[in-house]
C-alpha cells in the first residue's frame, strides 16, 4: 500500500527552467481539507495550480506520507516549522512553482469541512465542521523574486498572506491595494 501512496505522490513540479530575468517562484502550502489555489493567464491560456486539493495530495496528507517539493526557494520560518501547522489526519506540505513575472497571479485557499451523521434508534446526530474559501489575493510578481502563500491560521479558518522571500529566507509581507497590484511596504 505504501508503494501506491508514493506512486500517487510523484508529480513533476516544473517543466521549465527558471530564468531570473523573466520568471518568479512561489511556494504554496496545502494539506488534507485545506488546499491553496493559484491561477494566472499565460499566452491567453488560464493556468491553475491546486496544492492539497487533488486526490493524491489529500490522501498522502491524510496518512502523513506527503513530501515537500522544492525548486530552490530559501527556507523560511514557516517552511522550517511545518509541524506547527499539522492537523488531525492532515499533514501540511509545500510545493514550489515557477510563475511568470509581470503577470497577475491570484491566490486563495479553502477549508473543506466534513460532515458526520450518526444515527441511533432514538436520535440522529449531525456534526458539521463548516467550510470556507478565502478572498482572492492578486499580485504581480517581479522577475527574480521568490514568494510564498502562507495560511493565516492552522485551524479550520481561511485566509492567506503573501510573503516575499529573500535569498536568506527572510520574509516581508506583500501589501495589497484593491486586490490588484502590490507594493511592498518599507518598515
Amino acid at each position: 500500500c505504501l508503494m501506491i501512496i508514493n506512486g500517487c505522490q510523484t508529480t513533476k513540479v516544473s517543466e521549465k527552467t527558471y530564468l531570473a530575468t523573466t520568471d518568479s517562484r512561489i511556494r504554496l502550502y496545502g494539506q488534507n481539507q485545506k488546499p491553496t489555489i493559484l491561477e494566472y493567464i499565460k499566452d491567453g491560456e488560464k493556468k491553475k495550480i491546486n496544492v492539497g486539493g487533488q486526490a493524491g495530495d489529500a490522501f498522502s496528507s491524510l496518512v502523513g506520507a506527503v513530501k515537500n517539493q522544492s525548486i530552490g526557494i530559501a527556507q523560511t520560518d514557516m517552511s522550517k516549522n511545518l509541524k506547527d501547522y499539522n492537523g488531525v489526519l492532515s499533514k501540511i506540505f509545500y510545493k514550489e512553482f515557477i510563475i511568470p513575472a509581470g503577470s497577475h497571479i491570484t491566490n486563495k485557499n479553502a477549508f473543506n469541512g466534513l460532515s458526520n451523521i450518526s444515527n441511533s434508534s432514538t436520535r440522529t446526530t449531525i456534526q458539521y465542521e463548516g467550510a470556507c474559501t478565502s478572498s482572492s489575493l492578486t499580485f504581480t510578481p517581479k522577475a527574480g523574486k521568490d514568494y510564498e502563500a502562507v495560511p493565516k491560521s492552522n485551524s479550520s479558518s481561511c485566509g492567506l498572506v503573501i510573503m516575499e522571500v529573500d535569498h536568506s529566507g527572510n520574509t516581508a509581507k506583500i501589501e495589497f491595494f484593491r486586490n490588484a497590484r502590490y507594493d511592498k511596504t518599507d518598515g
Side-chain angles (χ1 to χ4, degrees):
C1 189
L2 185 58
M3 292 175 67
I4 293 171
I5 293 169
N6 286 337
C8 292
Q9 191 55 33
T10 304
T11 57
K12 193 170 189 177
V13 175
S14 178
E15 295 178 7
K16 76 176 262 183
T17 302
Y18 173 68
L19 298 172
T21 56
T22 59
D23 298 322
S24 300
R25 299 182 293 191
I26 192 165
R27 177 183 296 135
L28 302 176
Y29 295 92
Q31 63 191 112
N32 183 38
Q33 290 183 270
K34 198 164 187 179
T36 299
I37 297 119
L38 176 142
E39 295 177 333
Y40 62 93
I41 296 175
K42 182 169 183 181
D43 300 327
E45 184 180 335
K46 186 175 182 178
K47 306 285 185 175
K48 183 175 181 179
I49 298 170
N50 183 331
V51 176
Q54 304 293 335
D57 284 350
F59 183 72
S60 294
S61 173
L62 173 76
V63 299
V66 70
K67 302 289 184 207
N68 298 321
Q69 296 179 0
S70 178
I71 57 172
I73 298 174
Q75 293 296 302
T76 62
D77 286 340
M78 173 72 187
S79 66
K80 291 177 188 175
N81 296 296
L82 291 179
K83 66 185 178 318
D84 295 343
Y85 288 81
N86 288 339
V88 176
L89 301 176
S90 184
K91 181 180 177 184
I92 193 168
F93 65 98
Y94 64 82
K95 292 182 182 181
E96 297 174 359
F97 300 91
I98 296 170
I99 55 176
S103 295
H104 293 299
I105 306 295
T106 301
N107 293 273
K108 64 183 175 184
N109 73 349
F111 177 74
N112 303 317
L114 300 175
S115 296
N116 182 24
I117 300 172
S118 58
N119 199 355
S120 69
S121 59
T122 58
R123 109 189 316 181
T124 298
T125 304
I126 301 173
Q127 295 174 315
Y128 180 66
E129 289 182 313
C132 60
T133 300
S134 72
S135 297
S136 294
L137 300 176
T138 301
F139 76 107
T140 304
K142 295 180 181 178
K145 299 288 185 177
D146 292 333
Y147 303 91
E148 68 177 356
V150 177
K152 280 189 175 178
S153 81
N154 59 351
S155 68
S156 60
S157 64
C158 294
L160 289 173
V161 177
I162 306 298
M163 307 293 283
E164 185 175 313
V165 180
D166 72 13
H167 297 296
S168 298
N170 299 309
T171 58
K173 184 178 176 181
I174 300 297
E175 297 297 330
F176 293 88
F177 298 96
R178 296 194 180 260
N179 204 22
R181 298 176 84 67
Y182 84 91
D183 292 327
K184 188 170 76 170
T185 58
D186 296 327

